Amino acid sequence: MRIWARRLLVGAGIIAVGIGFVGYVADDGTVGSPLASRIAHGEVDSILPSLVPSLVLSEAVAEADHNATGREGGELPRHATPFETHLPGIANLDAALLIAVQAAARDAAEDGVPFWVTSGWRSAAYQQQLLDEAVEEYGGLEEARRFVATPSTSNHVTGRAVDIGPTDADSWLSQHGSAYGLCQTYANEMWHFELATEPGGICPAMLSDASEMQ
Ligand SMILES: [Zn+2]
């Protein structure tokens, strides 16, 4: 993001925080500051959760940088949850997919199942990096493409795929995913899910592996 735009966002945040504290005159004539008083009464932990995520989300969505690698290119820390929308790999997911995955994660948690996004949106550069690494690992492009799609075919690059872990979460999601429209789409990747049916619908037949995506 250009530095002036970042400053504008930060500035907007500071102004919003300021408005929250400056206060207001209520209809009954009393003077108060809604946010400050809610913090004082323990209803709001701090001003940060209410303001910062939306700012960061808009920043990440506006800047899906396909040349970026590392965290900006979508690489996720271990045990990232679908609620960590400050991470570009989460924030740049297709909005409908993100909502479905968040709903599934909430219900999995109620069943006592930990639920992490091990990979979400990826920049084209990050996808290429993963493909290059797979070519090294599997000894050739043809074999590598069975597990890692190219930047032009990967649904991670379009933000329409998530990899879920650990294995318990994969099993939970293969059992319950269709209730949210979430389907395993490759037979050889039990962790890879896409929005592939209506909520409560029937998942389509799986492709055998990612190399079938041309
Ligand atoms: Zn995947």
Side-chain angles (χ1 to χ4, degrees):
M1 170 174 283
R2 292 210 173 90
I3 195 71
W4 63 265
R6 193 183 294 274
R7 283 185 183 143
L8 201 63
L9 263 182
V10 171
I14 290 168
I15 290 165
V17 171
I19 290 168
F21 276 115
V22 163
Y24 69 108
V25 180
D27 287 339
D28 63 1
T30 55
V31 178
S33 166
L35 191 55
S37 114
R38 285 172 68 199
I39 292 169
H41 289 90
E43 294 169 38
V44 182
D45 284 343
S46 85
I47 49 172
L48 293 179
S50 61
L51 290 168
V52 172
S54 60
L55 290 175
V56 174
L57 182 61
S58 62
E59 179 178 352
V61 167
E63 295 288 322
D65 180 354
H66 279 283
N67 296 316
T69 53
R71 192 61 48 86
E72 293 302 311
E75 206 172 293
L76 294 175
R78 284 166 65 86
H79 305 171
T81 76
F83 304 100
E84 291 180 75
T85 52
H86 60 285
L87 299 166
I90 302 292
N92 290 321
L93 285 171
D94 170 69
L97 174 62
L98 180 57
I99 288 167
V101 171
Q102 288 177 340
R106 279 192 203 97
D107 292 344
E110 283 194 11
D111 286 352
V113 176
F115 191 106
W116 306 317
V117 180
T118 57
S119 193
W121 169 81
R122 300 171 188 154
S123 71
Y126 180 32
Q127 184 70 31
Q128 185 64 50
Q129 179 191 323
L130 293 176
L131 183 59
D132 292 344
E133 287 166 7
V135 169
E136 283 283 310
E137 187 177 344
Y138 296 108
L141 182 61
E142 195 178 330
E143 182 66 5
R145 284 198 51 206
R146 293 185 56 231
F147 298 95
V148 182
T150 64
S152 61
T153 59
S154 173
N155 276 337
H156 284 281
V157 175
T158 58
R160 294 179 188 277
V162 283
D163 294 344
I164 301 297
T167 308
D168 282 354
D170 297 330
S171 302
W172 187 93
L173 203 53
S174 62
Q175 203 179 332
H176 302 286
S178 62
Y180 314 89
L182 294 167
C183 302
Q184 180 187 338
T185 51
Y186 301 125
N188 70 334
E189 297 185 26
M190 71 174 297
W191 52 87
H192 178 104
F193 289 85
E194 300 179 14
L195 215 47
T197 186
E198 294 296 309
I202 294 169
C203 286
M206 294 178 207
L207 298 175
S208 59
D209 62 57
S211 67
E212 283 194 46
M213 281 283 289
Q214 293 304 318

